[in-house]
Amino acid sequence: MHWHHGRWETSRTINASDGTVWDLLTETRHWPQWGPTVTAVEGPERIGPDSTGRIRTPVGLWLPFEITDYRANDHWNWKVAGRQATTHRIKPAAGGRTTVTFTAPGWALPYVVVLHRGLHRLDALAVRS
Protein backbone atom coordinates (compact mmCIF):
# COMPACT_ATOMS: atom_id res chain seq x y z
CA MET A 1 0.00 0.00 0.00
CA HIS A 2 1.23 3.47 -0.75
CA TRP A 3 0.11 7.06 -1.31
CA HIS A 4 0.03 8.18 -4.94
CA HIS A 5 -1.34 11.50 -6.25
CA GLY A 6 -3.75 12.00 -3.36
CA ARG A 7 -5.04 8.41 -3.36
CA TRP A 8 -4.18 5.20 -1.53
CA GLU A 9 -3.01 2.39 -3.77
CA THR A 10 -2.55 -1.36 -3.37
CA SER A 11 -1.39 -3.75 -6.12
CA ARG A 12 -0.92 -7.42 -6.81
CA THR A 13 0.50 -9.33 -9.77
CA ILE A 14 -1.82 -12.18 -10.72
CA ASN A 15 -0.87 -15.29 -12.65
CA ALA A 16 -3.53 -14.80 -15.32
CA SER A 17 -3.83 -12.94 -18.61
CA ASP A 18 -4.99 -9.34 -18.72
CA GLY A 19 -8.07 -10.47 -20.67
CA THR A 20 -9.07 -12.91 -17.95
CA VAL A 21 -8.53 -10.35 -15.22
CA TRP A 22 -10.36 -7.60 -17.12
CA ASP A 23 -13.36 -9.90 -17.60
CA LEU A 24 -13.46 -10.63 -13.85
CA LEU A 25 -13.31 -6.91 -13.08
CA THR A 26 -15.96 -5.81 -15.56
CA GLU A 27 -18.50 -8.66 -15.56
CA THR A 28 -20.76 -7.76 -12.65
CA ARG A 29 -21.66 -11.39 -11.87
CA HIS A 30 -18.08 -11.79 -10.58
CA TRP A 31 -18.09 -8.77 -8.26
CA PRO A 32 -19.49 -10.64 -5.23
CA GLN A 33 -16.79 -13.29 -5.70
CA TRP A 34 -13.86 -10.88 -5.38
CA GLY A 35 -15.36 -7.72 -3.85
CA PRO A 36 -15.64 -8.04 -0.06
CA THR A 37 -18.23 -5.24 0.16
CA VAL A 38 -20.48 -6.47 -2.68
CA THR A 39 -22.92 -9.33 -2.14
CA ALA A 40 -25.15 -8.76 -5.20
CA VAL A 41 -25.37 -6.51 -8.25
CA GLU A 42 -28.30 -5.17 -10.24
CA GLY A 43 -27.18 -3.61 -13.50
CA PRO A 44 -25.52 -4.50 -16.76
CA GLU A 45 -23.86 -7.88 -17.24
CA ARG A 46 -20.65 -6.05 -18.13
CA ILE A 47 -19.86 -2.47 -17.22
CA GLY A 48 -18.73 0.13 -19.72
CA PRO A 49 -18.66 3.89 -20.00
CA ASP A 50 -21.54 5.51 -18.10
CA SER A 51 -22.92 2.21 -16.77
CA THR A 52 -25.20 2.45 -13.75
CA GLY A 53 -26.80 0.03 -11.35
CA ARG A 54 -26.76 -0.83 -7.71
CA ILE A 55 -24.85 -3.08 -5.36
CA ARG A 56 -25.93 -4.79 -2.16
CA THR A 57 -23.57 -4.48 0.78
CA PRO A 58 -22.92 -7.21 3.38
CA VAL A 59 -25.42 -5.52 5.73
CA GLY A 60 -28.17 -5.73 3.07
CA LEU A 61 -28.15 -2.06 2.08
CA TRP A 62 -28.54 -1.39 -1.66
CA LEU A 63 -26.42 1.50 -3.00
CA PRO A 64 -26.48 3.04 -6.48
CA PHE A 65 -23.32 3.08 -8.56
CA GLU A 66 -22.19 4.80 -11.73
CA ILE A 67 -19.06 4.28 -13.79
CA THR A 68 -17.37 7.68 -14.02
CA ASP A 69 -14.25 6.86 -16.04
CA TYR A 70 -13.70 3.82 -18.23
CA ARG A 71 -10.93 2.82 -20.61
CA ALA A 72 -11.27 -0.73 -21.98
CA ASN A 73 -8.54 -3.13 -20.90
CA ASP A 74 -6.95 -0.44 -18.74
CA HIS A 75 -9.07 0.97 -15.89
CA TRP A 76 -12.46 1.95 -14.53
CA ASN A 77 -13.56 4.28 -11.73
CA TRP A 78 -16.90 4.57 -10.08
CA LYS A 79 -19.05 6.48 -7.66
CA VAL A 80 -21.05 4.57 -5.07
CA ALA A 81 -23.94 6.37 -3.40
CA GLY A 82 -22.78 9.55 -5.12
CA ARG A 83 -19.25 9.46 -3.65
CA GLN A 84 -16.11 8.89 -5.65
CA ALA A 85 -15.00 5.37 -4.76
CA THR A 86 -12.31 3.05 -6.06
CA THR A 87 -10.29 2.79 -9.26
CA HIS A 88 -9.54 -0.63 -10.78
CA ARG A 89 -6.53 -0.73 -13.11
CA ILE A 90 -4.74 -3.54 -14.94
CA LYS A 91 -1.36 -3.68 -16.64
CA PRO A 92 0.13 -6.68 -18.47
CA ALA A 93 3.17 -8.11 -16.70
CA ALA A 94 5.94 -10.49 -17.75
CA GLY A 95 5.10 -14.14 -18.33
CA GLY A 96 1.45 -13.63 -19.23
CA ARG A 97 0.64 -12.25 -15.77
CA THR A 98 -1.30 -9.10 -14.93
CA THR A 99 -0.69 -6.43 -12.31
CA VAL A 100 -3.91 -5.16 -10.77
CA THR A 101 -4.00 -1.91 -8.83
CA PHE A 102 -6.91 -0.73 -6.73
CA THR A 103 -6.96 2.84 -5.43
CA ALA A 104 -9.13 4.63 -2.90
CA PRO A 105 -9.65 8.32 -2.18
CA GLY A 106 -7.35 9.88 0.41
CA TRP A 107 -10.13 10.05 3.01
CA ALA A 108 -10.68 6.26 2.75
CA LEU A 109 -7.43 4.92 4.23
CA PRO A 110 -9.14 2.15 6.27
CA TYR A 111 -10.81 0.88 3.09
CA VAL A 112 -7.41 -0.06 1.65
CA VAL A 113 -7.54 -3.17 3.86
CA VAL A 114 -10.74 -4.18 2.04
CA LEU A 115 -9.11 -3.49 -1.34
CA HIS A 116 -6.12 -5.61 -0.38
CA ARG A 117 -8.45 -8.49 0.53
CA GLY A 118 -10.27 -8.01 -2.79
CA LEU A 119 -6.98 -8.39 -4.67
CA HIS A 120 -6.31 -11.69 -2.90
CA ARG A 121 -9.80 -12.93 -3.75
CA LEU A 122 -9.42 -11.75 -7.36
CA ASP A 123 -6.11 -13.62 -7.59
CA ALA A 124 -7.68 -16.86 -6.37
CA LEU A 125 -10.62 -16.44 -8.76
CA ALA A 126 -8.38 -15.68 -11.76
CA VAL A 127 -6.22 -18.73 -11.17
CA ARG A 128 -9.38 -20.92 -11.16
CA SER A 129 -10.70 -19.31 -14.38
Side-chain angles (χ1 to χ4, degrees):
M1 166 183 66
H2 65 277
W3 181 255
H4 184 71
H5 297 291
R7 295 179 63 85
W8 294 103
E9 216 172 71
T10 185
S11 298
R12 183 177 183 94
T13 300
I14 295 174
N15 192 23
S17 72
D18 56 330
T20 295
V21 174
W22 187 251
D23 287 347
L24 293 172
L25 289 173
T26 58
E27 292 176 5
T28 58
R29 67 186 170 99
H30 296 297
W31 290 3
Q33 297 170 301
W34 60 262
T37 57
V38 176
T39 60
V41 180
E42 288 182 352
E45 290 181 23
R46 178 185 294 270
I47 60 162
D50 304 317
S51 292
T52 61
R54 62 187 199 143
I55 57 168
R56 187 177 64 208
T57 67
V59 296
L61 183 64
W62 284 93
L63 299 173
F65 74 83
E66 65 177 296
I67 305 304
T68 58
D69 186 20
Y70 179 95
R71 185 177 310 145
N73 301 307
D74 185 75
H75 74 273
W76 60 272
N77 303 347
W78 66 341
K79 284 185 178 180
V80 177
R83 298 210 47 149
Q84 192 61 48
T86 50
T87 300
H88 310 76
R89 181 177 307 277
I90 67 167
K91 183 177 181 180
R97 300 182 320 155
T98 304
T99 299
V100 181
T101 303
F102 290 165
T103 63
W107 55 265
L109 175 60
Y111 195 68
V112 175
V113 173
V114 174
L115 297 179
H116 189 69
R117 174 128 171 86
L119 285 172
H120 283 277
R121 290 171 65 170
L122 181 64
D123 189 359
L125 185 59
V127 169
R128 289 192 312 262
S129 295

